Amino acid sequence: MEKKRFQAILALIAFGVLLYALLQNFQTAWEAVKTAYAVVAPVVTGFCIAFVLNVLLRVLEQHIFLFMKKSPKPWVRRLLRPVSLVATIFLTLGIVVLLMVVIIPELQESILLLVTNLEEYVETIQNWLSGIRINDQQVFTARLDWGKLFDTIQQMLTPGTDTSIVETAAGVTTSVIRSLMNLVFSFFIAIYVLAQKERAGELAMRISRALLPPQAAEKLRRICALANSSFSNFIVGQLTEAVILGVLCFVGMKIFRFPNAAIISVLVGVTAVVPIIGPLIGEIVGCLLILMESPLQALLFLIFVLALQVIEGNVIYPKVVGRSVGLPGVIVLSAVIIGSNLAGITGVLLGVPIASVLYTLVLDWLDNRPKAAKKGGAPRGT
């Protein structure tokens, strides 16, 4: 007993010393963490892609190709995973290509039209603003100097000599190529993980049992199972919410007769996969698309989507996503807000699943207490 207490004291002292050293050299430690993450980022991204694709893979295996699993022929049963995996890859790539074919040409045409007619639009707005008077006094008198504006943009894009332009272009090109290569590697890693996910899970459990006491290993297994269930349900709920938002946007745009209803609704639905922030991005791009045809309709569309954003953020998202992960709506909103403040987009994506895991663990802890057991336990979500 004394030996265990002495070891616990030594471990506590070592942890305190390590924490003090990290705090004293926080900047250096943080740079080291970022460097290490940059090295393993493609692998981490690959596991994340595999986790998302696993939702579709399970649907195909458990529903679409279930007949192969029940086949009396062993070779047919062995083909279940390869067939489902190939179908998952083709479906995913098909959806991505379809969205690119539908959205990118329309977006490119709209941006070119905006750039071409930008000066005319600004002049129209300036003339409209200059007509606003209060007590016979002109409120807006400023005029945009296009020559000065283009000179400023040029100075921003050329910080030094012509050589800097070449260096900047080369740096951007290299960064884009590196990102694309990492994405390709991550996709192949995801395929390998999905192809042998049971073996990988079994290996992880064997390692945990070898390194941890049996009780700790079992608790870790339970936490991992909860995390897997929460993240999977979160992805399903997020996709469901995105479809609902896209359909509502399309119906509303048809009712109010906004142009480009189909493409803008698809764009809003796709970007809604990113919680809270995603729909806002799609709505801004949609507003720019409508601006090409009618500034007044663009303003009305902005009002419409802001109202839709309020409904989505306060009603649809907490109900759909919260119900899918077993969380009350207030905890869903709190998780999104706290996650965004802590880690930006990554925090927004991970906040709800992590909150779901913590929420379930707290409920289990309350259920295992003697007083909670006598009262029948705590309610499990709404």
Side-chain angles (χ1 to χ4, degrees):
M1 188 68 180
E2 292 295 330
K3 183 178 180 181
K4 290 184 177 180
R5 184 177 300 176
F6 180 70
Q7 291 176 344
I9 294 174
L10 285 180
L12 184 61
I13 294 174
F15 176 76
V17 172
L18 179 61
L19 181 62
Y20 176 79
L22 288 176
L23 292 176
Q24 289 295 109
N25 303 276
F26 180 77
Q27 189 64 33
T28 303
W30 181 246
E31 292 296 330
V33 170
K34 290 198 296 184
T35 302
Y37 178 76
V39 174
V40 300
V43 179
V44 175
T45 305
F47 277 93
C48 293
I49 294 174
F51 196 89
V52 174
L53 295 182
N54 185 52
V55 175
L56 178 58
L57 179 65
R58 285 192 304 180
V59 172
L60 293 176
E61 287 184 342
Q62 297 175 5
H63 299 281
I64 306 301
F65 299 114
L66 182 61
F67 67 93
M68 298 182 67
K69 186 177 182 179
K70 296 180 178 180
S71 175
K73 300 178 180 179
W75 66 271
V76 175
R77 294 196 298 269
R78 285 195 296 267
L79 286 177
L80 174 62
R81 174 59 53 80
V83 171
S84 301
L85 185 56
V86 171
T88 300
I89 295 171
F90 275 100
L91 283 174
T92 303
L93 294 179
I95 293 173
V96 172
V97 171
L98 179 62
L99 293 176
M100 292 177 63
V101 169
V102 171
I103 294 176
I104 290 182
E106 189 75 23
L107 190 60
Q108 181 182 7
E109 181 180 351
S110 300
I111 292 175
L112 291 176
L113 184 61
L114 175 63
V115 173
T116 304
N117 300 325
L118 181 60
E119 185 174 355
E120 180 182 347
Y121 290 143
V122 174
E123 288 293 334
T124 302
I125 294 174
Q126 286 181 337
N127 292 333
W128 178 73
L129 292 176
S130 63
I132 300 177
R133 294 177 177 272
I134 299 178
N135 295 330
D136 293 332
Q137 296 292 326
Q138 187 174 341
V139 178
F140 300 97
T141 59
R143 306 292 295 182
L144 187 62
D145 187 345
W146 288 97
K148 187 175 181 179
L149 176 62
F150 289 140
D151 290 341
T152 303
I153 295 175
Q154 185 177 8
Q155 290 176 5
M156 293 173 60
L157 296 177
T158 57
T161 62
D162 292 339
T163 305
S164 65
I165 302 177
V166 177
E167 292 176 352
T168 303
V172 171
T173 303
T174 303
S175 178
V176 170
I177 293 176
R178 185 186 299 116
S179 300
L180 290 176
M181 291 298 296
N182 287 339
L183 184 61
V184 172
F185 290 144
S186 299
F187 192 74
F188 279 109
I189 290 173
I191 294 174
Y192 281 114
V193 171
L194 290 175
Q196 302 180 356
K197 59 179 182 177
E198 290 84 5
R199 186 178 299 178
E202 182 182 352
L203 177 61
M205 288 307 305
R206 290 179 61 185
I207 293 175
S208 67
R209 293 192 186 100
L211 297 178
L212 299 174
Q215 187 175 1
E218 179 59 26
K219 185 174 294 186
L220 178 62
R221 186 202 65 78
R222 172 164 170 72
I223 293 175
C224 291
L226 284 174
N228 178 58
S229 176
S230 297
F231 276 76
S232 298
N233 292 336
F234 171 72
I235 292 172
V236 174
Q238 195 64 43
L239 293 175
T240 304
E241 188 262 350
V243 172
I244 293 174
L245 186 61
V247 171
L248 289 178
C249 182
F250 179 77
V251 172
M253 293 186 69
K254 282 297 184 181
I255 292 175
F256 294 109
R257 298 183 179 180
F258 291 123
N260 303 318
I263 183 174
I264 293 176
S265 300
V266 170
L267 186 63
V268 169
V270 171
T271 54
V273 175
V274 180
I276 307 299
I277 300 174
L280 184 61
I281 298 174
E283 290 155 7
I284 292 175
V285 176
C287 185
L288 292 176
L289 293 176
I290 298 178
L291 183 64
M292 304 301 100
E293 300 191 17
S294 173
L296 178 59
Q297 282 193 317
L299 178 60
L300 295 176
F301 172 77
L302 186 60
I303 297 173
F304 162 72
V305 294
L306 287 178
L308 189 62
Q309 178 78 4
V310 172
I311 297 174
E312 185 268 342
N314 294 280
V315 180
I316 301 175
Y317 189 82
K319 289 294 182 181
V320 175
V321 180
R323 186 175 299 169
S324 67
V325 296
L327 285 179
V330 64
I331 297 182
V332 174
L333 288 178
S334 301
V336 171
I337 294 172
I338 295 173
S340 64
N341 290 333
L342 290 176
I345 296 295
T346 304
V348 171
L349 292 172
L350 300 180
V352 176
I354 292 175
S356 177
V357 174
L358 296 177
Y359 181 73
T360 305
L361 291 176
V362 169
L363 288 181
D364 286 347
W365 176 72
L366 291 174
D367 287 343
N368 291 327
R369 296 182 63 194
K371 292 182 180 180
K374 291 179 181 179
K375 295 180 180 180
R380 289 188 172 273
T382 57

